[in-house]
């Protein structure tokens, strides 16, 4: 991990896409319309991220807590993800985008699970941008699953408890092999992480923007990247060391 760096283009941007419901309510529309417009914002953001040379874009599409919503809304969200994969997979593949899914797949229906697996398999060799879709994702759940897998290895003698380091844990998370997010954006003015990438966000920069997710677009994405570029990241070191490193 670098100790100091002046940020420029982030390698990994993660987004909590919030405010679809409020966007719809403001217009007297059903919530599902907000989610539908949210998919348009997803498309535009994926293109913008690819265009500015970002390597990883993670989108929080469905949290492990979202099952608490009315059944019809849960079903709308599942349907929108399926439609997105069916309609956009070929273009994503053409654009050299790799798709990865994080979250607990065991809790998903077989049809959606196979679609997600198909998207991952088809795009596994792509190298321009990795689009990470967090679906049925909750950070505490992810950490608990990683811990259980470590505990099994310790119990069965494959791993010594003394050999467990932060890297051991990172390698068991769904995000294994990905860089931690440099920038986490949340739309809609809410300022919290909501169980998103808790471990991975240790040194992330945060940006909370007032727009509802359906209004998020290319311009707003670029503006977020510009704001990120003004941040000094110290990774626990001192500001003086940043100045020396940058001299
Ligand atoms: C938060 O808004 C948004 C969600 C829970 C779902 C986000 C999903 C999409 C944009 C569509 C599917 C995703 C992909 C990747 C195709 P909210 O409903 O919590 O809004 P509110 O706080 O205003 O009610």
């Amino acid at each position: 991990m670098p100790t100091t760096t002046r940020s420029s283009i982030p390698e990994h941007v993660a987004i909590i896409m919030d405010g679809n419901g409020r966007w719809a309510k403001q217009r007297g529309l059903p919530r599902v319309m907000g989610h539908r417009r949210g998919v348009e914002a997803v498309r535009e953001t994926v293109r913008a991220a690819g265009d500015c040379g970002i390597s990883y874009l993670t989108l929080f599409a469905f949290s492990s807590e979202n099952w608490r919503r009315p059944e019809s809304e849960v079903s709308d969200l599942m349907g929108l993800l399926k439609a997105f994969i069916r309609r956009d997979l070929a273009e994503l593949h053409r654009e050299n985008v790799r798709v990865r899914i994080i979250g607990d797949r065991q809790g998903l229906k077989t049809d959606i699970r196979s679609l997600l697996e198909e998207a991952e398999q088809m795009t596994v060799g792509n190298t321009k941008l990795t689009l990470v879709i967090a679906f049925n994702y909750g950070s505490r759940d992810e950490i608990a699953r990683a811990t259980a897998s470590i505990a099994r290895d310790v119990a069965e003698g494959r791993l010594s408890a003394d050999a467990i380091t932060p890297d051991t844990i990172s390698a068991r998370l769904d995000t294994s092999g990905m860089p931690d997010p440099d920038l986490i954006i949340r739309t809609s003015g809410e300022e919290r992480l909501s169980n998103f990438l808790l471990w991975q966000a240790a040194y992330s920069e945060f940006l909370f923007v007032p727009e509802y997710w359906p209004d998020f677009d290319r311009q707003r994405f670029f503006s977020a990247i510009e704001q990120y570029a003004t941040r000094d990241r110290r990774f626990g070191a001192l500001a003086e060391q940043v100045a020396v490193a940058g001299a």
Side-chain angles (χ1 to χ4, degrees):
M1 184 172 70
T3 51
T4 62
T5 176
R6 179 85 191 180
S7 339
S8 52
I9 292 282
E11 186 180 13
H12 183 175
V13 177
I15 308 184
I16 303 173
M17 310 181 286
D18 197 10
N20 294 351
R22 278 164 285 167
W23 182 93
K25 191 172 177 198
Q26 237 178 21
R27 289 159 177 78
L29 297 168
R31 292 178 59 85
V32 65
M33 294 308 290
H35 297 314
R36 277 194 201 152
R37 280 296 294 265
V39 178
E40 289 307 315
V42 165
R43 291 194 175 100
E44 194 164 333
T45 304
V46 172
R47 284 191 203 111
D51 290 347
C52 66
I54 279 156
S55 301
Y56 291 84
L57 174 70
T58 299
L59 301 177
F60 201 4
F62 190 87
S63 82
S64 37
E65 288 74 37
N66 284 153
W67 295 106
R68 295 181 195 145
R69 294 190 176 201
E71 219 177 295
S72 61
E73 183 165 345
V74 169
S75 151
D76 287 338
L77 287 167
M78 298 285 155
L80 284 172
L81 181 75
K82 284 194 276 187
F84 173 75
I85 300 285
R86 288 196 184 111
R87 279 186 214 148
D88 292 52
L89 184 58
E91 186 189 335
L92 291 169
H93 189 37
R94 238 186 353 261
E95 292 294 324
N96 199 12
V97 176
R98 178 176 178 184
V99 177
R100 272 184 71 172
I101 311 298
I102 58 172
D104 181 12
R105 307 173 187 216
Q106 302 315 314
L108 297 172
K109 284 194 182 153
T110 331
D111 62 338
I112 197 157
R113 223 160 61 200
S114 6
L115 256 182
L116 297 177
E117 275 156 20
E118 182 193 330
E120 287 188 315
Q121 281 161 18
M122 182 194 267
T123 61
V124 70
N126 293 346
T127 52
K128 182 175 168 197
L129 166 73
T130 299
L131 169 62
V132 184
I133 303 177
F135 205 81
N136 196 21
Y137 176 85
S139 199
R140 288 180 172 182
D141 171 67
E142 177 193 36
I143 293 169
R145 284 186 283 108
T147 309
S149 128
I150 291 172
R152 277 193 296 274
D153 279 1
V154 171
E156 289 163 24
R158 288 188 292 271
L159 180 67
S160 148
D162 296 334
I164 297 170
T165 64
D167 285 345
T168 319
I169 296 168
S170 293
R172 307 269 175 148
L173 297 174
D174 298 346
T175 50
S176 168
M178 300 179 199
D180 287 339
D182 300 294
L183 173 65
I184 298 182
I185 302 169
R186 184 173 188 145
T187 58
S188 92
E190 307 288 347
E191 300 190 0
R192 55 179 172 269
L193 259 184
S194 301
N195 204 12
F196 186 51
L197 302 177
L198 300 180
W199 174 272
Q200 299 87 338
Y203 288 100
S204 303
E205 295 293 323
F206 291 91
L207 188 65
F208 299 103
V209 299
E211 294 84 18
Y212 294 147
W213 176 250
D215 288 328
F216 199 77
D217 57 13
R218 188 178 186 83
Q219 241 5 79
R220 288 180 170 104
F221 185 76
F222 289 155
S223 148
I225 302 304
E226 273 168 25
Q227 288 183 61
Y228 170 83
T230 66
R231 307 269 178 102
D232 281 323
R233 302 184 71 197
R234 293 194 286 278
F235 299 98
L238 302 178
E240 295 89 306
Q241 293 172 284
V242 179
V244 170

